[in-house]
């Protein structure tokens, strides 16, 4: 693939993440806020919704793997991935707006409606998400170019994510702070998602599949995942990290409203976190030129652990809390890029070990992992809000010191333990370093099983 096409693919692919991550962060981090702080669901309804969120996301995570098998079997005049990106984009746009629309139902009626719409959202997002991210490893087999692609995509994703994180509370507040305000904000995010995805659809040039398309059976899907030991260890490390990450970030609004005592400070703090992640993505390529992945991963987890420690023991002052956020999210940005590349390298490893390339099935593990991480994180937040009395509190002053301590432990202490466990899994079991991957690629080329994109 020539240099011009490579650059075009890199930027067109990355731009597609902006609106997608706006919608995803709205769902993953603020749906629970909408349910508790805007619709003001009672504890009984929230228990049901909490269970539905967990069960639906776990079910949906497994459909990701099925979707990966379907995409591996896809070959159309519009490409292997783009038809699914389009279908998922349009369906997700409609269902996301429905989730943030108050139709006036409460109690059992709301639970039933929420279940149907939320399951529909998961299936719609799966089509788009698997199609989109499965495209990445097909564009190149070069590790450094994959790192550039993944890093740039995450820069744009971070812009989308933190646009929502910074803007959602003040913008919905200016619009009235009610359900209608949240619906309007959601429509804006959805429009940007569609616009960004159109850039990807028009701009990216997929490698053309020539010859017969190898059929991926259910048995192939099971083998591609179950017999790829490096994929399984990567998945476990990513799940542990993302459960911790999603738990911490989902507590953000509640921390500033109930512990810090000023909900308005959430947006400036979120801006600090956005800058931290963008800084991390910007300096990652520079550090990558000087350090191995293993050393970078160790540095990243050290920053994360230090950030959690500073945050937990900080007084309610934005300066030390902001420093903690910088440390934590710079480290998290390194981990995010590294784990994407670990996952893509498992594609060649699986092909080398098992004799069959299953790119979409393998990369289906990323949204699978994201959904498991988001599901468990949201369930932890929802359960904590109920058990600590925060959800039932009429005002922040009604929350007890014990309740606030419980929230801090689940927001900071528990996630730090999970992230350190993630690092230990990687350190002990992941073996695909730069040298090993180069040998794998060379061997696949010598066997005539690898064509560079």
């Amino acid at each position: 693939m020539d240099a011009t096409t490579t650059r075009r693919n890199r930027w067109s692919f990355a731009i597609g993440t902006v609106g997608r991550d706006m919608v995803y962060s709205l769902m993953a981090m603020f749906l629970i806020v909408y349910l508790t702080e805007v619709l003001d669901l009672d504890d009984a309804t929230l228990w049901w919704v909490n269970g539905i969120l967990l069960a639906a996301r776990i079910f949906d995570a497994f459909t990701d793997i099925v979707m990966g098998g379907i995409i591996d079997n896809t070959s159309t005049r519009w490409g292997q991935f783009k038809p699914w990106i389009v279908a998922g984009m349009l369906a997700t746009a409609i269902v996301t707006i429905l989730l943030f629309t108050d139709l006036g139902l409460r109690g059992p009626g709301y639970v039933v409606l929420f279940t149907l719409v939320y399951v529909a959202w998961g299936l719609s997002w799966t089509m788009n998400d698997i199609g989109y991210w499965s495209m990445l490893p097909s564009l190149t087999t070069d590790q450094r170019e994959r790192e550039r692609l993944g890093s740039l995509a995450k820069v744009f994703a971070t812009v989308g994510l933190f646009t929502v994180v910074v803007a959602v509370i003040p913008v919905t507040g200016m619009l009235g702070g009610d359900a209608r305000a949240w619906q309007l904000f959601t429509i804006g995010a959805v429009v940007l998602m569609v616009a960004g995805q159109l850039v990807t659809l028009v701009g990216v040039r997929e490698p053309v599949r020539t010859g017969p398309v190898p059929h991926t059976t259910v048995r192939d899907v099971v083998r591609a995942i179950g017999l790829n030991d490096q994929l399984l260890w990567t998945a476990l490390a990513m799940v542990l990290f993302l459960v911790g990450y999603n738990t911490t970030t989902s507590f953000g609004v509640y921390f500033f409203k109930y512990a810090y005592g000023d909900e308005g400070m959430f947006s400036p703090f979120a801006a600090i976190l956005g800058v931290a992640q963008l800084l991390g993505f910007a300096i990652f390529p520079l550090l990558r030129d000087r350090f191995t992945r293993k050393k970078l991963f160790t540095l990243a987890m050290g920053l994360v652990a230090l950030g959690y420690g500073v945050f937990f023991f900080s007084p309610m002052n934005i300066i030390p809390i902001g420093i903690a956020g910088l440390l934590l999210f710079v480290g998290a940005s390194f981990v995010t890029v590294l784990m994407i590349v670990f996952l893509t390298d498992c594609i060649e490893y699986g092909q080398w070990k098992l004799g069959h390339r299953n790119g979409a099935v393998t990369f289906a593990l990323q949204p699978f992992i994201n959904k498991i991480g988001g599901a468990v994180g949201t369930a932890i937040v929802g359960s904590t809000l109920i058990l600590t009395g925060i959800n039932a509190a009429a005002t922040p002053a009604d929350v007890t010191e014990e309740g606030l301590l419980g929230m801090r432990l689940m927001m900071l202490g528990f996630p730090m333990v999970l992230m350190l466990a993630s690092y230990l899994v990687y350190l002990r079991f992941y073996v695909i370093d730069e040298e090993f991957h180069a040998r794998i690629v060379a061997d696949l080329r010598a066997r005539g099983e690898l064509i560079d994109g």
Side-chain angles (χ1 to χ4, degrees), residues 4-260:
T4 301
T5 302
T6 296
R7 284 194 298 271
R8 174 176 175 148
N9 281 352
R10 190 187 306 157
W11 287 93
S12 298
F13 181 84
I15 290 170
T17 63
V18 178
R20 288 182 77 259
D21 273 66
M22 290 182 71
V23 169
Y24 186 77
S25 60
L26 189 62
M27 290 291 300
M29 296 173 61
F30 293 102
L31 179 59
I32 188 73
V33 175
Y34 175 75
L35 297 174
T36 59
E37 303 295 307
V38 180
L39 296 189
D40 196 23
L41 300 183
D42 58 70
D43 281 356
T45 303
L46 187 58
W47 272 122
W48 276 103
V49 168
N50 208 44
I52 291 162
L53 286 170
L54 180 61
R57 286 188 183 179
I58 291 175
F59 164 76
D60 188 43
F62 283 96
T63 66
D64 289 344
I65 299 172
V66 176
M67 192 72 232
I70 293 172
I71 292 176
D72 270 338
N73 289 328
T74 297
S75 181
T76 73
R77 58 181 293 190
W78 301 282
Q80 182 184 2
F81 309 103
K82 291 181 180 180
W84 298 106
I85 293 174
V86 171
M89 172 189 72
L90 295 175
T92 297
I94 295 169
V95 182
T96 302
I97 294 170
L98 282 176
L99 274 172
F100 285 90
T101 298
D102 184 7
L103 298 177
L105 291 174
R106 293 296 184 272
Y110 179 79
V111 171
V112 172
L113 177 65
F114 179 84
T115 302
L116 294 174
V117 178
Y118 190 77
V119 169
W121 185 90
L123 295 174
S124 301
W125 183 261
T126 291
M127 285 190 287
N128 179 269
D129 205 38
I130 304 298
Y132 180 80
W133 284 108
S134 296
M135 186 188 291
L136 187 152
S138 76
L139 300 180
T140 180
T141 58
D142 180 77
Q143 277 194 321
R144 290 304 178 94
E145 180 57 27
R146 282 181 175 177
E147 288 169 3
R148 295 186 191 100
L149 265 168
S151 183
L152 188 62
K154 284 301 178 181
V155 167
F156 280 91
T158 299
V159 170
L161 188 158
F162 282 99
T163 296
V164 168
V165 172
V166 171
V168 64
I169 299 300
V171 170
T172 55
M174 287 188 293
L175 293 172
D178 56 5
R180 176 62 175 167
W182 280 75
Q183 182 192 51
L184 292 174
F185 187 91
T186 302
I187 291 171
V190 163
V191 168
L192 291 174
M193 177 190 74
V194 172
Q197 291 281 273
L198 288 175
V199 172
T200 297
L201 291 165
V202 173
V204 169
R205 293 289 181 264
E206 282 186 46
V208 178
R209 301 185 87 172
T210 57
V213 177
H215 182 68
T216 300
T217 65
V218 174
R219 181 172 177 271
D220 292 330
V221 171
V222 173
R223 289 182 74 250
I225 295 172
L227 298 182
N228 190 329
D229 58 297
Q230 293 301 289
L231 180 61
L232 293 176
W233 290 123
T234 301
L236 176 59
M238 290 179 72
V239 166
L240 291 169
F241 181 85
L242 285 173
V243 169
Y245 178 88
N246 284 312
T247 299
T248 296
T249 54
S250 296
F251 268 118
V253 172
Y254 301 102
F255 175 83
F256 279 94
K257 181 174 182 178
Y258 295 99
Y260 191 87

